[in-house]
């Protein structure tokens, strides 16, 4: 078990949510890491990386596909 999967399980337990719904697949993890790096480098502020990931999480939770919001962030 990886650190992120352990923390995901703890979050699921604490919130009453299903851990499988919260889990990241490798493709999602790669996309989020790429976008976090983009945010830090593009803005010049490392603190924008976790903030962007939070905003992305909100967008995805409300139904936006991660690949579409990723393209919007990267300006593609």
């Amino acid at each position: 078990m990886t650190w992120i999967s352990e923390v995901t399980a703890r979050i699921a337990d604490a919130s009453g949510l299903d851990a499988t719904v919260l889990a990241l697949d490798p493709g999602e993890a790669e996309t989020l890491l790429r976008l976090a790096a983009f945010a830090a480098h593009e803005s010049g502020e490392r603190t924008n990386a976790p903030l962007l990931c939070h905003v992305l999480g909100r967008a995805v939770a409300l139904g936006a596909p991660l690949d579409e919001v990723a393209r919007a962030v990267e300006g593609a």
Side-chain angles (χ1 to χ4, degrees), residues 29-58:
E30 184 179 318
T31 298
L32 290 171
L33 290 171
R34 186 183 78 243
L35 292 171
F38 178 83
H41 293 290
E42 185 74 14
S43 70
E45 297 289 335
R46 293 184 314 181
T47 54
N48 283 326
L51 297 174
L52 174 62
C53 287
H54 182 78
V55 172
L56 291 167
R58 286 182 172 189

Side-chain angles (χ1 to χ4, degrees), residues 1-75:
M1 187 175 265
T2 65
W3 179 86
I4 194 65
S5 62
E6 289 177 18
V7 171
T8 300
R10 290 198 310 258
I11 291 169
D13 187 50
S15 65
L17 297 171
D18 181 356
T20 60
V21 174
L22 298 177
L24 293 171
D25 70 38
E28 292 170 329
E30 184 179 318
T31 298
L32 290 171
L33 290 171
R34 186 183 78 243
L35 292 171
F38 178 83
H41 293 290
E42 185 74 14
S43 70
E45 297 289 335
R46 293 184 314 181
T47 54
N48 283 326
L51 297 174
L52 174 62
C53 287
H54 182 78
V55 172
L56 291 167
R58 286 182 172 189
V60 171
L62 292 170
L66 181 57
D67 60 333
E68 288 182 20
V69 292
R71 284 192 299 273
V73 169
E74 295 172 313

